[in-house]
Amino acid sequence: MIEFKQKDLKELLSVQVGPCVSLYLAKGDPNVLDFRWRKIKREAQHLLSTQYSLEQVQQIMKPINEISSDWLASVNGYGVALFRDQATFGFYVTRQKILDRAIVASSFHLKP
């Protein structure tokens, strides 16, 4: 997993190999972060499963599922945006407040 900087985000739009999963998780109460992280992952998996085979869903979700809520809690900033497709897996630390969201589409969702 790589950390994207502001300048890298525009490149994400030209390098995508769908399905593209964009996950946004706001920083907040550490006591509920694990619950919120599991909820976002379940939502992404559900969205993927409506359009893709079980094998594709598992392939896309595998590295996402390996991220712990402890790691997310350790990241500085207002929250974390995670981007995953067949060729890319990375994150961006947000500089503005965001809402928890899971988006599955043919391109990455760069605006929270």
Side-chain angles (χ1 to χ4, degrees):
M1 180 168 61
I2 60 171
E3 181 176 3
F4 296 117
K5 300 296 181 190
Q6 183 76 32
K7 63 180 174 53
D8 302 321
L9 294 180
K10 288 184 182 175
E11 281 186 42
L12 279 177
L13 294 175
S14 64
V15 188
Q16 56 217 356
V17 181
C20 297
V21 177
S22 306
L23 302 177
Y24 289 86
L25 187 69
K27 294 288 279 218
D29 183 350
N31 296 320
V32 295
L33 185 63
D34 186 61
F35 170 79
R36 290 178 31 240
W37 176 230
R38 284 181 289 153
K39 182 180 175 187
I40 291 290
K41 290 189 294 185
R42 278 193 310 269
E43 186 177 342
Q45 186 163 340
H46 170 72
L47 292 169
L48 283 165
S49 69
T50 64
Q51 300 176 39
Y52 300 97
S53 71
L54 178 60
E55 184 179 314
Q56 288 174 304
V57 172
Q58 290 172 337
Q59 177 191 13
I60 292 292
M61 291 300 297
K62 185 177 186 317
I64 293 170
N65 287 328
E66 293 172 355
I67 296 175
S68 72
S69 58
D70 290 337
W71 178 82
L72 292 165
S74 73
V75 175
N76 293 323
Y78 285 105
V80 178
L82 291 144
F83 303 102
R84 171 77 171 124
D85 70 5
Q86 294 177 23
T88 305
F89 184 43
F91 70 97
Y92 174 74
V93 178
T94 64
R95 296 181 184 157
Q96 62 188 33
K97 291 184 179 182
I98 58 172
L99 299 174
D100 294 353
R101 286 183 82 176
I103 300 118
V104 175
S106 58
S107 61
F108 289 116
H109 185 83
L110 298 183
K111 295 185 180 187

